[in-house]
Amino acid sequence: YERSRDAAQAAVRGIRPPMRFASPEAVKELIAKCWTQEPDMRPSFSFVMNALSDLIAVSAQQQQQQQQSKGK
């Protein structure tokens, strides 16, 4: 419980954990938008869903292109 409280207090102060994971830059940018301190500046759920759908589509297209280039 104490760790949760500390995390919540840090978030209120604008502290966010570093993004140390390997991920496309677009994913990191989307996460950063969701972490914006001002709630009115955060993206809507529909925006997040559309952005994720677009990222999945681009990733699938890139994988398909890679598979096609390996087959040639």
Side-chain angles (χ1 to χ4, degrees), residues 23-35:
S23 188
E25 194 61 32
V27 172
K28 291 180 180 181
E29 289 173 8
L30 180 60
I31 291 170
K33 286 179 183 179
C34 292
W35 284 349

Side-chain angles (χ1 to χ4, degrees), residues 27-65:
V27 172
K28 291 180 180 181
E29 289 173 8
L30 180 60
I31 291 170
K33 286 179 183 179
C34 292
W35 284 349
T36 299
Q37 185 75 15
E38 183 61 41
D40 292 340
M41 299 298 293
R42 295 178 194 145
S44 67
F45 184 75
S46 61
F47 178 90
V48 172
M49 290 300 296
N50 287 333
L52 291 173
S53 293
D54 291 347
L55 289 168
I56 291 168
V58 167
S59 178
Q61 184 180 23
Q62 289 172 343
Q63 287 179 348
Q64 185 179 26
Q65 289 172 346

